[in-house]
Amino acid sequence: MNDDVPLLDIRGLTMRFPVKKNMFGRVTRYARAVENVDLAIARGETLGLVGESGCGKTTLGRCIVRTHRPVGGSIFYRNDDGSAADLAALTTKQLRPYQREVRLIFQDPFSSLNPRMTLLQIVGEPLHTQGIARGSELEDRVAEMLRRVGLRPEYMRRYPHAFSGGERQRVNIARALIPQPRLVVADEPVSALDVSVRAQILNLLLELQEELDLTYLFISHDLSVVESICHRVAVMYFGSIVETAATSDLYTQPQHPYTEALLSAVPQPDPRLRGSGRIRLPDDLPDPTDPPAGCSFHTRCPYARPDTCAVGDPPGLHAAAQDHEAACHFSSQLHLTGVASGPEGLAPQKDLAQQYE
Ligand SMILES: Nc1ncnc2c1ncn2[C@@H]1O[C@H](COP(=O)(O)OP(=O)(O)OP(=O)(O)O)[C@@H](O)[C@H]1O
Ligand code: SF4
Ligand SMILES: [Mg+2]
């Protein structure tokens, strides 16, 4: 089997939501949420997906787990036997086997657990609905999974209200992992938690990745967390991926002005290593029902040259897992400021616990 072939290879993925209906109930306008995204995720890696609120991170994640059906593009998922399936094109019935292989961990451990279901029912549900296990076998597998995520199996008949936020997120993780997936989309898995338990949950995700040979798409606002746990990072702006690179390359040598602005907003512990200060971007994201021509960042970019940037599309990214690429006309000419990596940088690479506790 060729290990250069990514586990997930997304091509031209596009998702738009209907926003306006005319008097006959027909949709007349669509809002852009994900636009022409190419992105590859290698087996066993953690790919971070970052970008400001509303840029399309969750929508992209939901297209991958197919709770949204994209309006265009492909999501090639590599099967164990080396063949590929386009998840974007599968019917609901054809999707069934992939629903155990590609799983989502939700952000909010409070609203995502049904208060009227016990832990046994919640964690066992994917096995039950997929017809994988029933009865005592199902109970045994739930007990084993609870143990793996650090919860006591004796609690399986209790309801979610009896547990703290961190424990509920462990339940969420158990529910996502019990069908033995290969790819996990973790959508802001620690951002709703107290700072004191974030490191524990992140460490749990890292341990489980190693133990169960998992591949993660890790969606986050928190660039310090992303630097700590992701091998590579994709930066999203207004529905498109504008830069991808190995984490340390992206943080120390950003090639897209939007990445530079995101990094400039992160507090840096050592004042000597701070760049020239925070770059404050004007205005909000453009109107998703009326996207700007040319580079979609030109309405806010400090380096924009209207004659070029407002006219022509910047170069597209090629999605190859190992490349550092930026969708900017001038990326090779601009000398952008990043942040220091490693111990003096945003976050220590190893000692997550110290960072948060
Ligand atoms: N179900 C929906 N119907 C209509 N528009 C939607 C829907 N879901 C998302 N959108 C729109 O799509 C765009 C992208 O939203 P999305 O939730 O994917 O962003 P995000 O990057 O995950 O933001 P956040 O960081 O706040 O979670 C936004 O403009 C949002 O309003
Ligand atoms: S193409 Fe132009 S507007 Fe877009 S990021 Fe590059 S410099 Fe800025
Ligand atoms: Mg989101």
Side-chain angles (χ1 to χ4, degrees):
M1 207 182 280
N2 180 359
D3 265 328
D4 291 342
V5 180
L7 178 62
L8 201 75
D9 194 358
I10 297 172
R11 299 289 166 126
L13 193 73
T14 299
M15 180 68 196
R16 300 188 187 116
F17 293 105
V19 285
K20 215 171 184 184
K21 292 191 170 147
N22 64 12
M23 57 192 290
F24 306 109
R26 197 171 284 162
V27 175
T28 54
R29 257 183 143 181
Y30 288 87
R32 160 188 177 135
V34 171
E35 193 67 26
N36 201 16
V37 162
D38 287 2
L39 192 64
I41 309 181
R43 189 176 157 180
E45 82 168 339
T46 300
L47 175 68
L49 182 62
V50 302
E52 73 203 285
S53 187
C55 72
K57 304 180 297 296
T58 295
T59 306
L60 176 59
R62 287 186 176 272
C63 287
I64 294 170
V65 297
R66 269 294 304 274
T67 48
H68 286 325
R69 182 164 200 161
V71 297
S74 302
I75 305 170
F76 295 109
Y77 174 82
R78 185 175 167 229
N79 292 306
D80 250 342
D81 65 5
S83 64
D86 179 4
L87 303 182
L90 298 183
T91 62
T92 311
K93 195 170 166 211
Q94 291 167 327
L95 266 176
R96 273 182 74 83
Y98 296 100
Q99 282 163 347
R100 44 189 294 200
E101 300 211 14
V102 184
R103 305 279 298 167
L104 179 68
I105 297 175
F106 295 94
Q107 170 177 356
D108 185 355
F110 296 94
S111 64
S112 58
L113 300 179
N114 185 335
R116 283 179 289 278
M117 286 167 77
T118 63
L119 261 49
L120 173 61
Q121 291 169 317
I122 292 169
V123 177
E125 193 183 29
L127 299 184
H128 185 77
T129 52
Q130 294 264 338
I132 300 168
R134 276 167 205 281
S136 62
E137 190 196 340
L138 186 142
E139 244 177 68
D140 289 348
R141 287 198 45 184
V142 170
E144 171 58 23
M145 196 66 233
L146 290 177
R147 227 177 268 123
R148 264 198 162 136
V149 299
L151 293 169
R152 296 167 69 147
E154 310 81 278
Y155 294 164
M156 71 164 76
R157 289 193 166 71
R158 295 191 184 179
Y159 292 87
H161 67 81
F163 297 92
S164 67
E167 287 166 333
R168 288 186 208 201
Q169 197 56 319
R170 288 175 194 267
V171 176
N172 249 328
I173 293 169
R175 174 172 62 182
L177 301 190
I178 200 163
Q180 300 179 323
R182 295 166 74 216
L183 175 66
V184 175
V185 175
D187 190 358
E188 309 261 12
V190 296
S191 54
L193 301 177
D194 283 350
V195 169
S196 58
V197 294
R198 285 184 187 175
Q200 295 165 13
I201 298 297
L202 288 171
N203 281 328
L204 174 67
L205 288 170
L206 294 180
E207 281 161 30
L208 291 166
Q209 178 173 42
E210 181 111 355
E211 211 177 299
L212 305 174
D213 194 19
L214 297 170
T215 302
Y216 288 146
L217 176 64
F218 188 89
I219 298 173
S220 181
H221 276 105
D222 188 332
L223 290 171
S224 308
V225 169
V226 167
E227 195 203 23
S228 304
I229 72 162
C230 296
H231 302 105
R232 273 194 321 127
V233 181
V235 179
M236 197 166 193
Y237 180 75
F238 195 52
S240 301
I241 304 297
V242 295
E243 183 164 0
T244 55
T247 307
S248 64
D249 291 349
L250 187 120
Y251 280 63
T252 55
Q253 296 165 336
Q255 291 182 4
H256 195 283
Y258 181 62
T259 310
E260 182 189 49
L262 281 184
L263 291 171
S264 78
V266 179
Q268 198 153 359
D270 184 342
R272 287 165 305 162
L273 298 167
R274 280 183 205 137
S276 45
R278 179 164 186 179
I279 300 167
R280 291 189 187 277
L281 296 176
D283 308 325
D284 295 328
L285 286 166
D287 176 357
T289 64
D290 187 17
C295 171
S296 58
F297 189 48
H298 84 258
T299 55
R300 304 168 78 195
C301 178
Y303 306 97
R305 297 186 208 167
D307 49 334
T308 307
C309 303
V311 181
D313 288 344
L317 308 187
H318 298 100
Q322 62 279 19
D323 293 345
H324 186 166
E325 294 183 304
C328 169
H329 289 295
F330 301 108
S331 59
S332 58
Q333 295 160 42
L334 296 171
H335 297 286
L336 304 176
T337 306
V339 293
S341 172
E344 293 91 6
L346 299 182
Q349 291 286 329
K350 294 199 179 88
D351 213 347
L352 282 172
Q354 274 182 4
Q355 190 192 340
Y356 290 103
E357 284 169 2

